[in-house]
Each structure stands twice: as structure tokens, then as C-alpha cells.
Amino acid sequence: MASPSTATPASPASPAAARPRRRLPYYAGLLAVQLRTSLTTAMQYRADFLVQGAMSLYWLGWNLVPLLVLFDHRASVAGWSFEAALVVMANFVILRGILEGAINPSLGAVVEQIRSGAFDYTLLRPADAQFLVSTARFAPWRALDVLGGLALLVYALVRLGHVPDLGQLAAGLVLLGAGLVLMYALWLIVVAAAFWVVRLDNLAFLLSSVFDAARWPAAVFRGTWRVIFTFVLPLAVITTMPAEALLGRLDLTTGLAAVAGAAVAAAIARAIWRLALRNYTSASS
Amino acid sequence: MRRALAALPTLCRIGLTEAVAYRAEMVVWLLTTTMPLVMLGLWTSVADEAPFRAWGSRDFVAYYLAALIVRNLTSNWVAWQIAEEIRTGTVSGRLLRPIHPFAGYLGTHLGAVPLRALAVAPVAIILVASSARAVLVTDPVHVAALVAALLGAWALTFALFVGLGTLAFFLDKPMGIIEVYFGVFAIFSGYLIPLPLLPGWVQALADWLPFRAMLGDPVAIAIGRVPDGAAAWALVGRQWAWAAGLMLVATVAWHRGVRRYEAFGG
Amino acid sequence: MIEVVGLRKHFRVHRRKPGLAAAVRSLWHRTYDTVKAVDDISFTIERGERVGFLGPNGAGKTTTMKVLAGLLHPSAGQVTVEGHRPAQRDPAFLERITLVMGQKQQLLWDLPPSETYALNRAVFGLDPAAAARTLGELTELLGLAGLVDKPTRQLSLGERMKCELAAALLHQPTTLFLDEPTIGLDVAMQVTIRDFIRDYNQRHDATVLLTSHYMDDVVALCPRVIVIDGGHLIHDGDLRALVKTMIPDKLVSFTAALPADEVARLGEVVKSEHGRITIRVPEARLREVVGHVLDRAGTDLAVEDPPLEDVMRKLFHTKRAP
């Protein structure tokens, strides 16, 4: 499917449809269309914007409750101060916003498609099925969550009196990106599961719940928990490592390992997706 | 009503069959209760450094494992189910049957309880095998109160969730309310953090809400934090009062909702 | 051009008995049956042909169509469509074909069809001007004016089907797989869609493979039919010839006041209402019967082929007989 031909920009002149081969401009255009569709739908429900704003504030406050209860009586936990833990929490809120805004919404659309059989139409389109499935739906108002998380992050850093230098900022961003890739890989595996067990309408809840552990600095978890959350479901990596990077506590090797891990996870997820697709096209009637 | 009661055993048996058939979905629902485990990880780390306000590691283990068990036994997805049926119009099929739809929902979710019990059995074994067993209640009065409390919690949860699901008759997107509800529940039931560890005003507010009766109270009874037998039974009484009240509200809401639904032609 | 050689498609299906005990047992022990949905089918369809795909429910028609569209991998056999192997889902292949499933829709439900068209335009990499022209043609031919900007859920079934067709044909495919496209539609809409398909076939020299349980669709559109039953191909050829072979009778209808035994001598009575009689007459005796009716002052004489449903019923009954 990945044809090695050079990218031809879509020329509007020739009516004999100058069809660009399946390369970046094509997929960028496709993404733009999908985004525009979701945004148009979101615009129809303008009241949702306010509702989402209220919900963002609600959950932001809610997320702070355990932190406040804990640090009311304790100065630090496993070497993490209140402000440092706040940075991790802020990362969590930001990534959660991206998860619920850009990744999870498509899940509902896909599961619905598989159940109604309309997924066949996705397979009939000459674009990569994974791409179509991943961009099926967005919830643009969740950007407010991300903004809230950023605000919290800034607040925590200010309270700490620590301004990350350029290197730390870059590392933090890269690791947040790696975390995103990791989350997406998990999401893709969950979607692949939907092929086998058709009635999984509550999958979106699963992903959100599993992500729960990423609120806390990884160091907080001991023993088996630590192993699970670092290697099996590397949730600790997703939020803690970017925090460590921003705070200047991360060493290069660990950071690189995390990025490599994210890439490996993405590859595994893609392989599982293709397996699921192969299974679907053999087994469905 | 009599017909509904007569049909109930069959409905429950079908509910159990359904639950077994859709076991993957059941597993997913069970897996979504990760919060107590995450909290357990956090608080045991905290308590290992030093007891947190007289709560040691053992206390947290007892609390959160008990909370996990109670949550999984009493929780169900009927709110989501009702909302979906109303949204897609499938609820019309139920309205055409000669027994009240609540009987059907009851059968489905009550029937799933044995399977849920099976699923939390490992957790219960872990709880009993751990050091936390020292705090678990063993005397007949408390054990009986615990059983009654579990039943009461189930009934309360069911009534509340049915009520929440019924909102779909009136609102376009009831899932938002259900989301908000969960946040409130998590705090005022003690699901997120044990109620005794929360600020005084929060605890005072929790006394006026049904949420602690859904989780916090049964857990408290189970792990011996309600030493007085009479007090334990008093909590059970409050549970059942809440359950009855919420069921009444749900029934009224349902009637209103159905009328509205039929008026606007689902 | 479509070429199918020795196609087989088998499914492994989990069989479960009803009841609680069986459900619990199935938790750890599952029995599988093999369902032979398609069992050794071969045919060739040339470019520009219109072919009807007939058979009872569960015969394997939809399965075959999905294999041809690349949605299912064959268990055995070779399939070539427009020079491609469908299972490879080559983008060049997908751009040449379209599959319309009457029971499932590709239109986005909460949004107007125009949004789905925009998506397909981007997906198929269509030049915007060309796509706009195509859409204009489709709008005119199908009568879509005023429909494409209303949310899909607000359209009636017939309106939705028309918009579905437009979405499916936006990229001007040359091979059309139509799986029950007229299901649930009223008679006028069925005629509209039939006419449209015929028109498209002629304009673009497009190959059309049609499944339908409405025999009127098949009679109106398909000179050639392929009949499948139980996964086997039991007939492939001209429709009229099939009808003549299976039921070499004609249906003669007339209005006359004739005694019952006289009518019975003319032919087998199919219907008799309000003085209007329909009898089944072997083709060999047709001249004699028609002459007789006219002699006896019968009016409103009509001679028709037997309905395709009867032909099909006989075909399947014959095949299934031990």
C-alpha cells in the first residue's frame, strides 16, 4: 500500500482527476477534511463549549482533591513534593484532554461502525483503514482541558520557582509526545479487540480508567505495581517522565529508552491492527 | 406488579445467561474499576513512610480491597443501558410488554451478580489472606449487618442508576450528567479517599447524601470501623430508606418520561 | 471485467445451544461448525454487462459480492476484477469499484450527505472541479436538489438511498456491486433507481452486478442472471431463456363469462376474480387457447411470462429435491 512513487501535488487544472498517490499531502488533506467535519458538528452545539468549560474546571478541581488531602499532612511522597506532584498531575490533565479530544471519540464511531456493518465502507475506501478509523471523530472542545492543564503546569512551575531551560522544555515536549504515541498505541490495540468481541461499547471507559494510574509520580508505586506500570502498561512513563524532564531530573538514557519504547509500542499496535483486519476480512459474513 | 414478580426468576436466569454470553463486556466493566487499586498503590506508599493520620498500610489495604469488592458487586451499567435504549428507540419494545420495564432491567442486572461475585472472588481471597484480615469483622451481628448492607447498597445503586438512565427521556446527552455524578460519588462515598480522611465539612455534607450508603458504609462495617452493632444496623436502615426513596423518584420520573416520549414519538 | 474461478468461502461458526447450562459450558469448551457459504463457483462477466445475482437468502450472494469487492478473503479459488486481485485492496482497484449495500449505509448519520461527499472527494483524491461536475450530474439524474444539505437522519428512506448512490458513484467507478439497493423503497423510487442504473451503465460502460429480492429489478435491468443456491452455482445465462426453460408456460388473462370446466380445459387456473380469469398455458397450446378465448368473445386479453418468483421457486425446489 505504501507506494514508493514521488508525491504529486493535486493539480486543479486537468479534469482527468490528477489523483495524488497515497502520500503525506493526501493524508494531510484527508485529516483536514475530518477535522473540519468534527468542528462543523461541534459548532452546531455551541452550548457544549460552555458545558465543556464547566466540566474542565470541575474535573481539574476534582483531580486536585487527593493531592490536597495528601499534602495537607505530608511534605513529600516518595521524594516528590506537592509542586512536583502537581506537575505530574498537570501532564495528566493535558494528555487526558488530548485522549478525550482527539483519540477516544473515534473509538465510539468505530465500534458503532463495526456493529452496524458500515465498517465495510471504510475498507472500501482507498485510504489506510487505520488512518480513517483514527480520525473518524474529534471532540474539539476538549482543547479547554488541555488549556486547563497548561495553566496548572505553569502554576506549579511558578510555585516551585523553577523555569525550565530550553533543553528541559524540549525534552519535556518530546516525552509528552512519546506519551501520546504510547496512549495511541494502547487505543489502537483496544480498537483491534473490538473486532473480535463485537459488543464492546464500553471500551472508551476502559481506556480512561486504565489511564487513571498516570496521575501520580511513578515513584509512588512500589513492587509489582511499579513493574506493571512501567513495563506492561507504561502509564508512569507517560506523565512522570515529561515532569522529570521539565524539572531537570531526567537522565538522557532513560529519556531515549522511553522514546524508543513508544516507537516499539506503535509498531506492535500497528501489527495487531493489521492482524485484526486480516481476521475481520476472513471471518465476517 | 404480581406478573412482574412472577416473571422475575426467569428474567434473572436470562440475565445470568446474557452476562455469561457477553462475558467480554463484563470483563471490561470490571477492569474499569481501577481507581481503588491505583489509590491503594498510592496510600500504601505513603503509609509505608509513616502512618497517615493513624491509618497504616494494613488499614489502607483493608479499605481499598473492600471498596473494590463492594463497588464491583453493587455497580451495574443500567444507567448506560437505559440511556442507550431511549436514544436508539429500542425502549419502545419494552414499553409494549405487559410487565414494567424495571422488571426487565432488574432481571438483567440482578442476574449478573453471581458472575460478578465470581469475578471478585480472587480479590476477596487476597484480602482474607493478607495482613488486613485482622481488621475484618467476624461476629454474627456485624456479618449479618454486612450482608444486609451489601444488599442495601445494591438496591440503592440500582435505584439511583435507573433514575439517572431515565434522564435520557428529558435530556439529549445524559452521559454528561452521569459523568458529573461519578465525580461527586467518588468523593462523597469514600471511593476515592476514605471519608474519615476528608475535611470535616465534606464528611458533614456526605451525611446528607446517599453516596456513602452505597459504598463507604458497607466498607466501614466490613473492616470493623463501626464497632457498635446497633450503629451498623442503623446504617443499613438508612441505606434501605434511601433505596426506597430513590426508587420512588425513579418510578415517577419514568412515568413522566414515558409520557413525554410517547407524546413526541420517540 | 470480472473473472471468478473455483471460488470457495468457508466460515468457522461457533454453535451454541440455548439455555444457561450451555452458556456456562461454552466458557471453556466451544464447538465449531464449518459453513460453506460459497462452494466452488466460477463465472466470467465482461465489461459493460448487467448481471443479476439471484438466490434464496443465505445462498452465498452477499458473500460472493464481498469477495469480489475485496472485503472477504476467499478460502480457495481465484478472483480477478478489472485486472486486480480484490483481496489485496490495491488503491487503484478500490478507485474503480463501488459497493452499495441496501441494508447498510455509508452516509454519516448526523451530518448532511454533502459532508460524506466531501470526505469521499478527499479520500478518492478527486479534483474538486471534476467532482463538482459529477455531483451536479448525479443531482440532476437522481433528483437530489434540496436533500444533500439536510442531516441524513432527517431524510426518508428513499431520499437516503438516492444520496447513498450518489456517494457511491462520486468517483465514477466502472464496476458496480449493488446488494439489494432498492430494499424497502416504494415502487416509484425503485423505478427511478433502476432507470438511473441502466443510464449509468450505458454512459460509463460500467459493469453492474446486482442482487435483489425484487424480481422486477432483475427483469428490468439484467439480461443475464447467475443463480446461486446453497453456495453452488445452478444457472448462468440469459434470463429469458431461463424463464422459458424452467416454466415453458405463459399466463393468459382475459375477461369472459365462461363455465368453470371449459376454462379448466384451456389451462390451469391461477386466478379468478370479478370475472377476470388468469390461466397458465403451455407455450405449445398458446395459439389454440388465445383463439378459443377470442372466439368466445373474451375481452382485455393479455399474455405474460410467468413471474420470476415462480421460476425461482421452481428452480430451487428442483435443485433441492432428493
Side-chain angles (χ1 to χ4, degrees):
Chain A
M1 197 221 76
S3 55
S5 60
T6 53
T8 47
S11 72
S14 72
R19 298 172 182 193
R21 287 281 106 212
R22 315 292 146 197
R23 291 264 130 240
L24 200 56
Y26 169 75
Y27 280 106
L30 206 47
L31 178 62
V33 171
Q34 300 274 53
L35 270 170
R36 197 184 53 85
T37 308
S38 285
L39 204 58
T40 323
T41 321
M43 287 298 189
Q44 285 179 355
Y45 303 102
R46 247 171 284 240
D48 275 5
F49 179 75
L50 294 168
V51 171
Q52 185 58 56
M55 295 289 275
S56 294
L57 282 171
Y58 175 79
W59 287 112
L60 198 61
W62 189 91
N63 277 321
L64 293 176
V65 167
L67 270 175
L68 293 171
V69 169
L70 178 57
F71 285 100
D72 204 25
H73 294 261
R74 212 43 84 86
S76 82
V77 177
W80 286 75
S81 68
F82 173 65
E83 290 79 11
L86 210 56
V87 173
V88 175
M89 184 65 78
N91 288 343
F92 173 78
V93 173
I94 292 171
L95 286 177
R96 181 69 163 260
I98 299 178
L99 175 71
E100 302 290 351
I103 300 180
N104 239 354
S106 295
L107 182 57
V110 173
V111 170
E112 182 60 42
Q113 275 184 18
I114 293 176
R115 199 175 7 161
S116 71
F119 184 72
D120 286 345
Y121 287 117
T122 304
L123 290 178
L124 286 168
R125 297 195 164 109
D128 183 59
Q130 180 188 337
F131 182 86
L132 288 175
V133 150
S134 305
T135 56
R137 207 182 281 166
F138 295 99
W141 297 145
R142 290 282 184 167
L144 291 170
D145 269 345
V146 177
L147 283 174
L150 280 169
L152 191 63
L153 184 63
V154 169
Y155 171 76
L157 289 171
V158 162
R159 243 183 99 114
L160 211 48
H162 171 87
V163 179
D165 63 46
L166 219 57
Q168 291 169 344
L169 205 59
L173 246 104
V174 164
L175 282 165
L176 268 177
L180 243 145
V181 168
L182 216 57
M183 252 182 359
Y184 175 72
L186 245 117
W187 176 90
L188 192 60
I189 294 174
V190 165
V191 169
F195 284 112
W196 273 285
V197 205
V198 184
R199 207 179 118 163
L200 282 181
D201 311 306
N202 44 8
L203 280 175
F205 293 119
L206 177 63
L207 216 52
S208 304
S209 308
V210 160
F211 193 46
D212 226 31
R215 282 174 216 274
W216 306 101
V220 154
F221 300 105
R222 308 275 181 79
T224 3
W225 288 131
R226 188 70 167 281
V227 175
I228 295 179
F229 286 136
T230 315
F231 297 109
V232 177
L233 287 174
L235 298 162
V237 170
I238 294 177
T239 46
T240 307
M241 281 210 191
E244 288 178 329
L246 285 170
L247 297 170
R249 294 193 208 173
L250 189 68
D251 61 284
L252 192 60
T253 354
T254 322
L256 287 174
V259 173
V264 166
I268 293 176
R270 171 80 176 167
I272 293 180
W273 163 262
R274 297 191 65 157
L275 188 66
L277 216 55
R278 171 98 205 179
N279 183 274
Y280 178 82
T281 51
S282 306
S284 80
S285 60
Chain B
M1 179 69 175
R2 200 167 305 137
R3 216 180 313 175
L5 282 174
L8 203 55
T10 314
L11 290 170
C12 284
R13 192 170 49 76
I14 295 176
L16 183 56
T17 314
E18 270 183 337
V20 172
Y22 292 111
R23 53 193 176 281
E25 197 169 34
M26 170 85 42
V27 169
V28 173
W29 281 113
L30 291 173
L31 287 176
T32 55
T33 50
T34 53
M35 206 173 284
L37 294 173
V38 173
M39 280 294 152
L40 185 58
L42 171 71
W43 288 109
T44 44
S45 277
V46 171
D48 276 346
E49 288 177 7
F52 188 83
R53 300 178 59 190
W55 281 62
S57 265
R58 191 187 67 176
D59 298 305
F60 282 115
V61 168
Y63 186 87
Y64 280 112
L65 287 184
L68 185 67
I69 293 171
V70 172
R71 170 80 175 155
N72 272 321
L73 280 178
T74 58
S75 179
N76 58 61
W77 45 283
V78 73
W80 184 89
Q81 178 187 16
I82 295 178
E84 270 302 292
E85 289 191 0
I86 292 175
R87 186 183 74 88
T88 57
T90 343
V91 73
S92 303
R94 283 198 196 262
L95 295 172
L96 287 171
R97 293 194 213 142
I99 58 173
H100 198 289
F102 283 6
Y105 295 132
L106 189 62
T108 302
H109 297 276
L110 196 55
V113 172
L115 207 61
R116 285 179 175 271
L118 201 65
V120 294
V123 182
I125 292 173
I126 293 175
L127 176 58
V128 170
S130 75
S131 60
R133 89 166 144 274
V135 299
L136 298 175
V137 293
T138 44
D139 67 289
V141 174
H142 280 90
V143 171
L146 177 59
V147 172
L150 285 172
L151 289 170
W154 195 94
L156 219 188
T157 310
F158 182 77
L160 182 62
F161 278 14
V162 166
L164 282 176
T166 311
L167 285 173
F169 277 132
F170 307 98
L171 297 172
D172 222 0
K173 281 184 251 176
M175 290 317 292
I177 302 269
I178 295 177
E179 221 187 289
V180 172
Y181 152 80
F182 178 73
V184 174
F185 164 81
I187 293 183
F188 290 103
S189 68
Y191 187 55
L192 184 66
I193 298 176
L195 278 170
L197 295 177
L198 291 172
W201 63 270
V202 175
Q203 295 190 46
L205 193 52
D207 283 342
W208 289 94
L209 296 167
F211 306 116
R212 50 173 289 190
M214 289 163 74
L215 186 100
D217 289 344
V219 169
I221 296 175
I223 62 177
R225 291 210 169 241
V226 188
D228 180 20
W233 281 101
L235 289 174
V236 173
R238 272 211 348 214
Q239 256 185 346
W240 282 97
W242 271 114
L246 285 170
M247 201 65 223
L248 193 63
V249 171
T251 313
V252 170
W254 181 270
H255 276 273
R256 289 266 180 82
V258 168
R259 236 184 304 148
R260 190 172 190 272
Y261 180 76
E262 288 170 350
F264 290 107
Chain C
M1 154 144 161
I2 301 172
E3 209 176 308
V4 176
V5 178
L7 176 64
R8 285 176 216 270
K9 182 63 193 163
H10 300 164
F11 293 111
R12 276 183 65 199
V13 176
H14 165 54
R15 292 263 184 252
R16 193 169 63 77
K17 299 195 196 61
L20 179 57
V24 173
R25 207 179 311 125
S26 78
L27 279 174
W28 59 80
H29 173 68
R30 301 187 126 195
T31 52
Y32 287 96
D33 286 345
T34 305
V35 173
K36 294 188 182 162
V38 176
D39 202 10
D40 196 6
I41 286 187
S42 305
F43 58 84
T44 305
I45 299 179
E46 300 294 334
R47 172 86 190 252
E49 277 198 72
R50 294 195 305 264
V51 178
F53 220 29
L54 301 176
N57 286 331
K61 308 187 299 292
T62 305
T63 307
T64 306
M65 227 179 231
K66 284 193 173 183
V67 172
L68 290 173
L71 290 176
L72 285 179
H73 290 209
S75 303
Q78 281 173 320
V79 178
T80 316
V81 176
E82 299 223 9
H84 295 265
R85 298 227 340 238
Q88 285 171 340
R89 291 186 54 236
D90 186 2
F93 163 73
L94 293 173
E95 286 168 4
R96 320 287 311 140
I97 66 154
T98 196
L99 172 62
V100 176
M101 296 180 273
Q103 312 223 18
K104 306 175 195 171
Q105 61 181 46
Q106 67 160 298
L107 294 174
L108 301 167
W109 186 246
D110 293 305
L111 295 169
S114 51
E115 293 292 336
T116 310
Y117 300 157
L119 174 63
N120 282 357
R121 196 163 44 231
V123 163
F124 286 101
L126 301 176
D127 166 52
R133 252 195 323 272
T134 312
L135 191 56
E137 281 171 21
L138 290 168
T139 306
E140 205 185 300
L141 287 169
L142 286 167
L144 301 178
L147 297 179
V148 298
D149 289 313
K150 285 164 65 174
T152 306
R153 64 169 184 272
Q154 289 178 5
L155 299 174
S156 73
L157 187 59
E159 292 169 340
R160 232 184 295 150
M161 201 57 226
K162 292 199 294 190
C163 293
E164 276 283 328
L165 271 177
L169 297 173
L170 203 62
H171 58 288
Q172 304 203 328
T174 47
T175 298
L176 275 55
F177 299 116
L178 307 173
D179 190 3
E180 303 199 39
T182 56
I183 195 164
L185 300 180
D186 65 65
V187 175
M189 194 60 73
Q190 287 181 11
V191 172
T192 307
I193 292 194
R194 270 177 232 151
D195 289 343
F196 173 79
I197 293 172
R198 197 182 305 117
D199 186 88
Y200 188 93
N201 156 259
Q202 283 161 356
R203 275 196 205 205
H204 298 267
D205 198 26
T207 314
V208 176
L209 188 56
L210 169 76
T211 328
S212 183
H213 285 294
Y214 298 125
M215 292 305 161
D216 290 341
D217 284 348
V218 181
V219 169
L221 276 177
C222 307
R224 170 180 167 194
V225 293
I226 294 174
V227 185
I228 296 190
D229 188 9
H232 296 105
L233 191 146
I234 57 180
H235 179 86
D236 179 1
D238 184 56
L239 177 59
R240 305 218 57 166
L242 174 66
V243 174
K244 274 211 172 64
T245 316
M246 288 311 302
I247 304 185
D249 300 334
K250 293 282 187 201
L251 289 179
V252 179
S253 307
F254 55 89
T255 308
L258 296 175
D261 56 327
E262 184 179 342
V263 173
R265 253 180 288 127
L266 288 176
E268 180 196 337
V269 175
V270 173
K271 197 160 51 169
S272 177
E273 282 175 348
H274 312 300
R276 182 146 186 87
I277 304 169
T278 305
I279 53 174
R280 191 194 299 274
V281 176
E283 184 138 23
R285 286 191 60 205
L286 190 60
R287 266 193 80 199
E288 171 207 332
V289 170
V290 168
H292 184 103
V293 170
L294 288 172
D295 281 342
R296 301 286 270 121
T299 54
D300 299 322
L301 186 71
V303 178
E304 293 166 317
D305 280 328
L308 200 51
E309 283 90 351
D310 290 352
V311 175
M312 288 299 121
R313 214 175 301 136
K314 185 157 183 227
L315 194 60
F316 302 134
H317 185 77
T318 312
K319 191 248 160 200
R320 285 214 188 91

